[in-house]
Amino acid sequence: MWAGRFAKALDTKADDFNSSIRFDCKMYKQDIAGSIAHAQMLAAQGIITQEDCDTIVGGLCNILDDLNSGDLPFDMSCEDIHMFVEAELTRRIGDAGKRLHTARSRNDQVAVDVRLYLRDETAEILTLLKQLIEAITDQAEGNKAVIVPGYTHLQRAQPITFGHHLMAYAMMLLRDIGRLQDAVKRMNVSPLGSCALAGTTYPTDRRMEAAALHFDGITRNSIDGVSDRDFCIEIMSAFALIMMHLSRFSEEIILWSSWEFRYIELDDSYTTGSSIMPQKKNSDMAELVRGKTGRVYGDLMTLLTLMKGLPLAYNKDMQEDKEALFDSIETVKMCLDIFAPMIRTMKVKTENMYRAAQEGFINATDLADYLTKKGMPFRSAYKIVGQIVAECIEKQCVLDTLPMEAYRKHTELFGDDLYSEISLETCVAKRISEGGTSVSSVEAQIAYVRKELEA
Ligand code: ARG
């Protein structure tokens, strides 16, 4: 391409080292779409003839078809996807092909391609996120009255409904959707026409090509237009958060599937056995999602480190953005895709959850509240309940089975309504505060999430 300036060809290893077609060939559709919009703008502005434009667009459409069908293999000796498409076009249509790169640089070209690629991929990821939230919400609906211990410090804390616990994840993933949509909004402006860095002397119409590519507007500074990869970093940050949420969920799934908990059983199709221990049923999918979270964090760190200290405008360092970006996209998609059916098909062992809820004094707060409602200051009630719990541990019983005489030794405030007031069912049913664990609160959360998903 630049033979005019150089006396000899690039060293073979240097050529290999410099080349990105191996991975940026993923963006061929976006590259061709950008080129078609550019050619049409050039013709509309009288910069190239309509005839040349038609030949270029026809040629690009044929290349696209041939790449889609697999008839045209990528030429790995080309430096990148942009060079490949242009060279193939010129090979097919001759001189008209050589006019396509007028008023354009690979610097604005690649900035457009990555934005278009990310826009397509995030649309898919948004759909996958919605599917996962739907699976979680459906499970929550089916388990909205199932009582399970809620934990803090991984110690049994207060009774909650399993539906309530699941809906916490729905809320996190809903925020992930918002974060992605927000990042896409900021990303969806066209840098095309920034050219190498300074803009161009040709009478281009940047807004026309931006509209043709369904951008919401154009970047306002051509140097920023070609130097900016903030949008990659924003979206990869959103990916990192998605993975963090999936990883926390995975950790719980792994715990709940253990023989110690036995709260859930994953479907056979999402678990594996051991090569030596015949009894094993391992939550490999959840473990892998937890593990792959590290990759996506690493990809984000790659981009942050890559961009740190780069002078304006384009630097070849920026070619290194793609592998990390593509890796995190693929990883997030795979994880979301496996997670939704894994959640949908998991069996909930309600009896085990209930048994665990009966064993951990998780109605102790409600016992203290009982005394407080009868007039005792909360701190005094808290102290008495602590003593009662210690007594139960010694007598190997629970609050629900400690006899009334034992209670009354502490205070006369205990009456016949005590046992029904501290039953697990009452503890849950009375937590009607918005966002709380009662069935009606969980139903409201489910309705909210479903409405948000429709919107
Ligand atoms: N393959 C390059 C990249 O991915 C395209 C832009 C190259 N521009 C340049 N002036 N060398 O960043």
Side-chain angles (χ1 to χ4, degrees), residues 2-52:
W2 38 75
R5 165 77 175 74
F6 289 77
K8 58 179 185 180
L10 193 59
D11 168 80
T12 332
K13 280 184 187 162
D15 192 23
D16 246 15
F17 187 71
N18 192 45
S19 160
S20 58
I21 189 153
R22 199 173 71 253
F23 45 87
D24 65 19
C25 60
K26 262 188 195 301
M27 306 190 298
Y28 74 90
K29 285 184 186 151
Q30 291 76 13
D31 195 72
I32 290 173
S35 288
I36 289 175
H38 185 64
Q40 285 167 340
M41 182 281 291
L42 291 177
Q45 296 299 103
I47 302 167
I48 62 171
T49 64
Q50 191 56 49
E51 199 190 331
D52 277 344

Side-chain angles (χ1 to χ4, degrees), residues 20 24 80 82 106-107 110 314 316 318-319 322:
S20 58
D24 65 19
D80 56 27
H82 326 294
R106 279 185 297 155
N107 298 351
V110 72
Y314 177 83
K316 190 75 172 207
M318 289 157 78
Q319 180 166 289
K322 284 166 217 64

Side-chain angles (χ1 to χ4, degrees), residues 371-372 375-382:
L371 291 176
T372 309
M376 186 180 283
F378 179 76
R379 271 292 157 242
S380 315
Y382 173 92

